[in-house]
């Protein structure tokens, strides 16, 4: 006999036969129930439940929320080229806020303890802990970190590995009026989520909702991620006992990173000077031909450099409704700004050429020229407009064609344009 307990999912087998027959009946009963359960699940179109090995998988009819995850690689900050990095470190060193031996095992407890520490040590900030806490937590209610920066390591197999010993947490909140940085040294390694299973140090950056790009949370995060990418520095920081000792190690690390980046800059400059000195030793004629050979080298380099930005030059202005409105108003403004001069100069050209080039032809020529320039001039903001020098040039060409050469004006004008175009092509190559 087979007795199934629905509340626990256990199956009890009672048989008056031998224990071997009882075991066989038990296995057969379990397999029979599994087949029935799978058929029932498939019938309900619940694929997750149908192919699961556990009968306790909950049936979910619809999702209740979504996660928006955006991961992108950003370069480390160059302390020599970006002066803001040293300013961010100096601001932290004025009054370092560091919390040691934090015992929390979940991000919600660690974040709350760090915010309370800021409120106590920085009373002048008047920090609203609840407002700042809400920006550091995922809105889904699972207490995960919504925005962070991690270091990446490339191994010999070209695999990308996240540095899990530290994490830089970013939070944008109206509770602060300027960017604030604090640190927490954990007593034990904690697991804060995917690719954060051994976190020992947390850098928390609170930034205002509206701030300059150079003062934004991501830029300050780049500063500290670059600093903490030094393994020896991280070890010394983890062994520090007081905020003053922690600040001294940070200051020393910042100086070391600055010296390293300055040295790299000097090396690059030396290489550039060597290349320039080598070019100066060449004969001017040989140098000229080495720069332009093979034919079309410069033009092809321009095409390769601009190719990746070709579509974005047209689409960047259509990313929002506000941009579309600016796009439309600019088009209308340029339309009338270019139409009025071409009409006025068209009348003058009609008089100078005895109506061989009139206003209608001028409008059509400018329209076609503007389209061609926008598509092939390297960027769509080229503005083609009839000007006084063009009017004078047309008058001179008309005078030469009739009074000097006695040829058809439009034919002569076309040949002049083709000849100029030939020189432009040669110069481009």
């Amino acid at each position: 006999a087979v007795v199934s307990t629905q509340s626990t999912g256990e199956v009890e087998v009672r048989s008056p036969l031998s224990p071997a027959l009882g075991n066989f009946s038990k296995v057969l009963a379990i397999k029979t129930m599994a087949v029935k359960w799978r058929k029932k699940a498939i019938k309900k179109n619940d694929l997750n439940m149908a192919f699961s090995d556990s009968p306790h998988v909950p049936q979910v009819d619809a999702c209740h929320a979504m996660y928006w995850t955006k991961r992108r690689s950003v370069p480390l900050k160059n302390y020599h080229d970006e002066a803001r990095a040293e300013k961010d470190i100096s601001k932290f060193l004025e009054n370092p806020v560091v919390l040691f031996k934090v015992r929390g095992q979940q991000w919600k407890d660690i974040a709350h303890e760090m915010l309370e520490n800021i409120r106590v040590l920085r009373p002048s900030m008047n920090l609203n802990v609840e407002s700042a806490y809400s920006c550091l937590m995922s809105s889904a209610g699972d207490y995960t970190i919504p925005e962070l920066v991690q270091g990446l390591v490339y191994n010999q197999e070209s695999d990308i590995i996240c540095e899990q010993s530290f994490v830089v947490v970013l939070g944008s909140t109206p509770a602060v009026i300027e960017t604030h940085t604090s640190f927490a040294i954990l007593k034990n390694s904690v697991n804060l989520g995917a690719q954060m299973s051994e976190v020992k140090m947390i850098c928390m950056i609170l930034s205002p909702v509206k701030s300059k790009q150079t003062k934004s949370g991501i830029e300050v995060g780049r500063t500290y991620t670059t600093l903490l990418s030094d393994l020896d520095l991280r070890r010394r920081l983890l062994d520090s006992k007081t905020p003053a000792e922690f600040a001294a190690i940070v200051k020393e690390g910042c100086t070391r990173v600055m010296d390293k980046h300055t040295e790299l800059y000097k090396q690059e400059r030396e290489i550039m000077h060597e290349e320039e000195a080598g070019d100066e030793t060449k004969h001017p004629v040989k140098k000229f031909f080495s720069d332009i050979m093979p034919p079309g080298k410069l033009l092809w380099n321009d095409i390769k450099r601009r190719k990746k930005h070709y579509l974005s030059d047209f689409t960047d202005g259509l990313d929002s409704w506000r941009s579309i409105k600016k796009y439309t108003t600019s088009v209308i403004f340029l339309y009338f700004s270019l139409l009025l001069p071409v009409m006025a100069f068209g009348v003058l050209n009609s008089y100078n050429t005895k109506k061989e080039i009139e206003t209608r032809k001028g409008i059509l020529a400018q329209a076609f020229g503007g389209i061609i320039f926008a598509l092939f001039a390297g960027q769509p903001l080229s503005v083609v407009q009839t000007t006084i020098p063009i009017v004078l040039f047309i008058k001179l060409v008309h005078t030469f064609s009739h009074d000097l050469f006695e040829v058809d004006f439009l034919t002569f004008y076309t040949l002049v344009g083709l000849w100029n175009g030939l020189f432009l092509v040669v110069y481009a190559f």
Side-chain angles (χ1 to χ4, degrees), residues 12-25:
E12 180 183 358
V13 179
R14 298 175 183 175
S15 174
L17 302 180
S18 63
L21 183 59
N23 291 336
F24 174 76
S25 301

PDB file of all heavy atoms in Angstrom, residues 12-25:
ATOM      1  N   GLU A  12       5.223   7.099   2.204  1.00  0.00           N
ATOM      2  CA  GLU A  12       5.419   5.967   3.124  1.00  0.00           C
ATOM      3  C   GLU A  12       4.942   4.701   2.427  1.00  0.00           C
ATOM      4  O   GLU A  12       3.822   4.651   1.897  1.00  0.00           O
ATOM      5  CB  GLU A  12       4.633   6.217   4.414  1.00  0.00           C
ATOM      6  CG  GLU A  12       4.793   5.074   5.409  1.00  0.00           C
ATOM      7  CD  GLU A  12       3.950   5.296   6.655  1.00  0.00           C
ATOM      8  OE1 GLU A  12       3.289   6.342   6.735  1.00  0.00           O
ATOM      9  OE2 GLU A  12       3.953   4.415   7.528  1.00  0.00           O
ATOM     10  N   VAL A  13       5.754   3.651   2.420  1.00  0.00           N
ATOM     11  CA  VAL A  13       5.436   2.383   1.764  1.00  0.00           C
ATOM     12  C   VAL A  13       5.325   1.293   2.830  1.00  0.00           C
ATOM     13  O   VAL A  13       6.271   1.091   3.613  1.00  0.00           O
ATOM     14  CB  VAL A  13       6.519   2.004   0.727  1.00  0.00           C
ATOM     15  CG1 VAL A  13       6.181   0.684   0.080  1.00  0.00           C
ATOM     16  CG2 VAL A  13       6.651   3.089  -0.312  1.00  0.00           C
ATOM     17  N   ARG A  14       4.189   0.634   2.883  1.00  0.00           N
ATOM     18  CA  ARG A  14       3.968  -0.477   3.814  1.00  0.00           C
ATOM     19  C   ARG A  14       3.669  -1.731   3.004  1.00  0.00           C
ATOM     20  O   ARG A  14       2.765  -1.726   2.185  1.00  0.00           O
ATOM     21  CB  ARG A  14       2.810  -0.173   4.751  1.00  0.00           C
ATOM     22  CG  ARG A  14       3.053   1.061   5.639  1.00  0.00           C
ATOM     23  CD  ARG A  14       1.823   1.367   6.453  1.00  0.00           C
ATOM     24  NE  ARG A  14       2.034   2.587   7.240  1.00  0.00           N
ATOM     25  CZ  ARG A  14       1.074   3.146   7.981  1.00  0.00           C
ATOM     26  NH1 ARG A  14      -0.151   2.610   8.008  1.00  0.00           N
ATOM     27  NH2 ARG A  14       1.335   4.227   8.674  1.00  0.00           N
ATOM     28  N   SER A  15       4.418  -2.792   3.217  1.00  0.00           N
ATOM     29  CA  SER A  15       4.223  -4.010   2.440  1.00  0.00           C
ATOM     30  C   SER A  15       4.407  -5.207   3.354  1.00  0.00           C
ATOM     31  O   SER A  15       5.348  -5.241   4.173  1.00  0.00           O
ATOM     32  CB  SER A  15       5.223  -4.075   1.285  1.00  0.00           C
ATOM     33  OG  SER A  15       5.115  -5.316   0.621  1.00  0.00           O
ATOM     34  N   PRO A  16       3.542  -6.167   3.273  1.00  0.00           N
ATOM     35  CA  PRO A  16       3.682  -7.384   4.090  1.00  0.00           C
ATOM     36  C   PRO A  16       4.728  -8.333   3.511  1.00  0.00           C
ATOM     37  O   PRO A  16       5.044  -9.347   4.116  1.00  0.00           O
ATOM     38  CB  PRO A  16       2.288  -8.005   4.013  1.00  0.00           C
ATOM     39  CG  PRO A  16       1.778  -7.593   2.676  1.00  0.00           C
ATOM     40  CD  PRO A  16       2.328  -6.234   2.452  1.00  0.00           C
ATOM     41  N   LEU A  17       5.289  -7.996   2.342  1.00  0.00           N
ATOM     42  CA  LEU A  17       6.264  -8.882   1.716  1.00  0.00           C
ATOM     43  C   LEU A  17       7.649  -8.624   2.293  1.00  0.00           C
ATOM     44  O   LEU A  17       7.816  -7.894   3.265  1.00  0.00           O
ATOM     45  CB  LEU A  17       6.241  -8.667   0.203  1.00  0.00           C
ATOM     46  CG  LEU A  17       4.863  -8.915  -0.450  1.00  0.00           C
ATOM     47  CD1 LEU A  17       4.956  -8.662  -1.930  1.00  0.00           C
ATOM     48  CD2 LEU A  17       4.365 -10.339  -0.188  1.00  0.00           C
ATOM     49  N   SER A  18       8.636  -9.100   1.605  1.00  0.00           N
ATOM     50  CA  SER A  18      10.020  -8.972   2.058  1.00  0.00           C
ATOM     51  C   SER A  18      10.469  -7.526   1.951  1.00  0.00           C
ATOM     52  O   SER A  18       9.874  -6.734   1.223  1.00  0.00           O
ATOM     53  CB  SER A  18      10.929  -9.858   1.202  1.00  0.00           C
ATOM     54  OG  SER A  18      10.881  -9.413  -0.142  1.00  0.00           O
ATOM     55  N   PRO A  19      11.525  -7.175   2.700  1.00  0.00           N
ATOM     56  CA  PRO A  19      12.028  -5.791   2.602  1.00  0.00           C
ATOM     57  C   PRO A  19      12.453  -5.413   1.207  1.00  0.00           C
ATOM     58  O   PRO A  19      12.300  -4.264   0.794  1.00  0.00           O
ATOM     59  CB  PRO A  19      13.217  -5.791   3.568  1.00  0.00           C
ATOM     60  CG  PRO A  19      12.932  -6.890   4.538  1.00  0.00           C
ATOM     61  CD  PRO A  19      12.208  -7.955   3.753  1.00  0.00           C
ATOM     62  N   ALA A  20      12.990  -6.381   0.436  1.00  0.00           N
ATOM     63  CA  ALA A  20      13.399  -6.058  -0.933  1.00  0.00           C
ATOM     64  C   ALA A  20      12.214  -5.640  -1.781  1.00  0.00           C
ATOM     65  O   ALA A  20      12.276  -4.685  -2.545  1.00  0.00           O
ATOM     66  CB  ALA A  20      14.095  -7.272  -1.565  1.00  0.00           C
ATOM     67  N   LEU A  21      11.093  -6.387  -1.656  1.00  0.00           N
ATOM     68  CA  LEU A  21       9.890  -6.028  -2.399  1.00  0.00           C
ATOM     69  C   LEU A  21       9.352  -4.687  -1.935  1.00  0.00           C
ATOM     70  O   LEU A  21       8.845  -3.880  -2.725  1.00  0.00           O
ATOM     71  CB  LEU A  21       8.823  -7.124  -2.238  1.00  0.00           C
ATOM     72  CG  LEU A  21       7.512  -6.926  -3.017  1.00  0.00           C
ATOM     73  CD1 LEU A  21       7.805  -6.824  -4.510  1.00  0.00           C
ATOM     74  CD2 LEU A  21       6.531  -8.042  -2.721  1.00  0.00           C
ATOM     75  N   GLY A  22       9.517  -4.418  -0.634  1.00  0.00           N
ATOM     76  CA  GLY A  22       9.066  -3.121  -0.124  1.00  0.00           C
ATOM     77  C   GLY A  22       9.863  -1.981  -0.711  1.00  0.00           C
ATOM     78  O   GLY A  22       9.301  -0.957  -1.094  1.00  0.00           O
ATOM     79  N   ASN A  23      11.172  -2.153  -0.832  1.00  0.00           N
ATOM     80  CA  ASN A  23      12.002  -1.101  -1.444  1.00  0.00           C
ATOM     81  C   ASN A  23      11.637  -0.891  -2.901  1.00  0.00           C
ATOM     82  O   ASN A  23      11.604   0.235  -3.404  1.00  0.00           O
ATOM     83  CB  ASN A  23      13.479  -1.481  -1.326  1.00  0.00           C
ATOM     84  CG  ASN A  23      13.958  -1.434   0.125  1.00  0.00           C
ATOM     85  OD1 ASN A  23      13.381  -0.727   0.942  1.00  0.00           O
ATOM     86  ND2 ASN A  23      14.998  -2.205   0.429  1.00  0.00           N
ATOM     87  N   PHE A  24      11.369  -2.004  -3.629  1.00  0.00           N
ATOM     88  CA  PHE A  24      10.982  -1.884  -5.032  1.00  0.00           C
ATOM     89  C   PHE A  24       9.670  -1.115  -5.181  1.00  0.00           C
ATOM     90  O   PHE A  24       9.511  -0.262  -6.048  1.00  0.00           O
ATOM     91  CB  PHE A  24      10.840  -3.295  -5.637  1.00  0.00           C
ATOM     92  CG  PHE A  24      10.317  -3.285  -7.046  1.00  0.00           C
ATOM     93  CD1 PHE A  24      11.139  -2.936  -8.098  1.00  0.00           C
ATOM     94  CD2 PHE A  24       8.985  -3.602  -7.306  1.00  0.00           C
ATOM     95  CE1 PHE A  24      10.658  -2.905  -9.390  1.00  0.00           C
ATOM     96  CE2 PHE A  24       8.505  -3.581  -8.597  1.00  0.00           C
ATOM     97  CZ  PHE A  24       9.341  -3.252  -9.642  1.00  0.00           C
ATOM     98  N   SER A  25       8.717  -1.412  -4.305  1.00  0.00           N
ATOM     99  CA  SER A  25       7.421  -0.717  -4.355  1.00  0.00           C
ATOM    100  C   SER A  25       7.597   0.766  -4.049  1.00  0.00           C
ATOM    101  O   SER A  25       6.940   1.623  -4.647  1.00  0.00           O
ATOM    102  CB  SER A  25       6.451  -1.348  -3.339  1.00  0.00           C
ATOM    103  OG  SER A  25       6.271  -2.720  -3.620  1.00  0.00           O
TER     104      SER A  25
END
